[in-house]
Amino acid sequence: MNIFNDDSNFSYLLNTMGEKIKINGKEEQSLLSNYKDKIIDYKKIKTIVPFNAGDLVEYQDKNWIIISEVTKNDTIFKATMRKCREIKHNNQLINGLVDSKVFDVIQEKYITLVDNQILITLSDKNYIKLNDILEFSKKAYKVIGIDDTKEGLLTLRCEYDATNTHFYSIELNATSTTIRQGEIYQISTVVKDGEFLVENPTLIYNVADANICSVDNTGLITANTIGTTTITVKHGNVEAILNLEVLEAIPIKPMTISGDWQVYLSKTKTYTITYDDGSPVIDKIFTFSFADLTLVTIQSSTATEVTLLGNSSKKGFAILSATYGDITLTKNIWVRSLI
C-alpha cells in the first residue's frame, strides 16, 4: 500500500515521516511523495494546512509552486507541486516554471512550441502584462499571450526578443525608508548591464502620490505631507521600487548663530549654528549669506558653519543670515579695525 494515500493514518505518518517545508514563507509539516515515474521536478504534497494553487513552497533549499487543483479530504489538503526556475521581471527575481512544450489534451501528448517561444507559469500574485520583458537563462523574452484561466496561476506565452540584448538591473541604497515632513532623501542607484556597471545611466523617477512627496530628476525626494507612497526608478525596460513613509515633522528646537559680534579687518571669524542650549546642530544644512559683501568675504562654509574675512578697508554693521528651509537665522556683526 502507498502510505502517502493512507488518510486514515495520516496524523501518525505526518508526525513520524513528515518533513519541514515553508508555504508562502511559513514553516509547516508535510508529507511528500515522488511520482511513480520518478520525475524529480514533481512531488505530491499533503498537509493539514490549507493552501492554494500558485502558492510557493520552500523545500530542501529549492522553491516549488503548487500547480494542481487542491483537493480536501476532511482536514487533509493534497496537491502537486513542481520545482521552480528563477526568472527576472522589472529587476525582481520571481519563481516560475519554464517549458518549451505544451500538453495537447486532444492528442494526449506533448507538442513542442514554435522556435524561440516558451511558456512561463507562475503565481497570479505577480503583475505581468502583455509586452513585458522577462529574463531567463540570460535571454530576453517578450510576453505575447496571457492565460489566467487556471485559478491561482498565470501562464505566459513568451517569444525570444533578439532586439533586447541588454540585461539591466537597478540596485537602490534602500527599498524602503522613512523620513519626516520637510526633510529630504537622496535615492542612490547602481545600474548594471549583466555584470557590468553602467556609467551615467539615464534614470526616470516617478512618484505614485505627488501630494506625499516630490522627486526631481536626480532622485532627490522632498517630503511634503504625512502618508505612504512609492517612487519608481526606471532605466531601459527595468524598474526598481522605493517604498516611502512620511512621518509628522518633529518640532525644531530654537537655534541661533553662535560666534563673536565683531569681525576685525583682514581677520577671520567662524560662526556656528547651535541650539539655544548650546548643543551643536548636526542634521541640517544651512545656506549662509551676508547683507553687505563689501564688508566681509565668505571665506568658507559647511552645513552648519561659516568663516568670514573682514575686508581690509571698509568698516560698519551688517547682517549674517543662515537659511534652512523656511527658517532664517540672523546675527548683527560689526566689522571694525583692531584699534
Side-chain angles (χ1 to χ4, degrees):
M1 181 182 68
N2 187 339
I3 61 172
F4 185 86
N5 295 322
D6 184 8
D7 290 351
S8 64
N9 206 25
F10 179 67
S11 295
Y12 170 76
L13 294 173
L14 188 65
N15 291 327
T16 58
M17 303 180 64
E19 299 183 72
K20 293 290 186 182
I21 63 171
K22 287 184 179 180
I23 301 178
N24 296 328
K26 184 178 180 182
E27 189 170 276
E28 306 289 354
Q29 190 83 351
S30 69
L31 204 62
L32 301 174
S33 173
N34 291 326
Y35 274 83
K36 291 180 180 179
D37 57 9
K38 307 291 186 182
I39 300 177
I40 61 173
D41 284 346
Y42 290 80
K43 284 187 181 293
K44 297 177 183 179
I45 177 173
K46 192 173 177 181
T47 76
I48 57 172
V49 179
F51 57 89
N52 302 290
D55 284 353
L56 290 177
V57 176
E58 294 177 52
Y59 171 62
Q60 293 185 342
D61 297 325
K62 301 293 183 182
N63 291 308
W64 304 67
I65 187 171
I66 304 297
I67 60 170
S68 70
E69 180 182 352
V70 179
T71 60
K72 179 183 178 184
N73 180 12
D74 293 328
T75 59
I76 302 171
F77 297 84
K78 305 176 187 178
T80 298
M81 66 182 189
R82 186 177 164 195
K83 192 184 297 182
C84 294
R85 307 291 297 274
E86 283 191 344
I87 302 152
K88 186 178 286 188
H89 175 245
N90 280 344
N91 204 40
Q92 300 293 321
L93 286 177
I94 55 179
N95 292 289
L97 310 176
V98 180
D99 294 291
S100 58
K101 298 179 181 179
V102 60
F103 187 75
D104 188 316
V105 295
I106 297 177
Q107 300 183 52
E108 295 187 346
K109 66 178 183 180
Y110 283 95
I111 299 176
T112 302
L113 296 172
V114 298
D115 289 346
N116 296 322
Q117 286 192 7
I118 58 174
L119 289 181
I120 294 178
T121 303
L122 38 76
S123 168
D124 65 2
K125 294 181 178 66
N126 296 289
Y127 178 66
I128 311 287
K129 59 185 183 298
L130 286 175
N131 298 318
D132 275 5
I133 300 297
L134 303 177
E135 295 175 25
F136 171 71
S137 191
K138 297 184 178 180
K139 292 183 179 180
Y141 290 87
K142 180 184 290 187
V143 178
I144 60 173
I146 299 176
D147 180 0
D148 60 359
T149 57
K150 294 180 181 178
E151 186 175 354
L153 297 169
L154 286 178
T155 300
L156 313 174
R157 184 179 289 268
C158 303
E159 188 170 57
Y160 173 61
D161 185 359
T163 65
N164 196 326
T165 58
H166 295 284
F167 298 93
Y168 292 121
S169 63
I170 303 174
E171 300 173 9
L172 303 182
N173 52 331
T175 56
S176 62
T177 192
T178 301
I179 58 177
R180 295 188 179 274
Q181 287 174 284
E183 293 182 344
I184 60 174
Y185 177 82
Q186 180 66 57
I187 301 176
S188 177
T189 61
V190 174
V191 178
K192 293 182 178 179
D193 186 357
E195 300 178 357
F196 300 99
L197 186 68
V198 177
E199 300 287 349
N200 302 316
T202 300
L203 296 167
I204 299 173
Y205 300 89
N206 289 305
V207 58
D209 189 341
N211 294 317
I212 303 296
C213 72
S214 60
V215 58
D216 66 15
N217 58 9
T218 69
L220 184 67
I221 297 171
T222 301
N224 298 327
T225 189
I226 299 170
T228 58
T229 188
T230 58
I231 292 89
T232 302
V233 185
K234 189 170 184 178
H235 176 78
N237 60 0
V238 299
E239 59 186 36
I241 304 295
L242 172 68
N243 297 292
L244 177 71
E245 181 179 13
V246 177
L247 304 178
E248 183 179 4
I250 297 177
I252 298 176
K253 294 191 300 182
M255 295 176 289
T256 189
I257 301 176
S258 296
D260 199 355
W261 60 276
Q262 58 189 346
V263 174
Y264 295 114
L265 296 177
S266 301
K267 302 294 183 179
T268 60
K269 282 286 177 68
T270 297
Y271 297 85
T272 305
I273 307 299
T274 64
Y275 292 109
D276 281 1
D277 61 8
S279 60
V281 176
I282 60 174
D283 60 346
K284 296 174 178 58
I285 300 175
F286 283 84
T287 301
F288 295 92
S289 61
F290 200 76
D292 188 348
L293 291 177
T294 65
L295 290 174
V296 300
T297 299
I298 297 178
Q299 193 173 59
S300 63
S301 65
T302 64
T304 58
E305 191 173 86
V306 64
T307 298
L308 304 180
L309 172 67
N311 290 340
S312 60
S313 58
K314 191 172 181 180
K315 297 180 290 184
F317 280 98
I319 298 173
L320 173 64
S321 298
T323 302
Y324 167 74
D326 57 1
I327 297 174
T328 298
L329 309 175
T330 60
K331 186 178 183 70
N332 291 321
I333 294 178
W334 183 24
V335 181
R336 54 172 293 193
S337 63
L338 287 171
I339 300 175

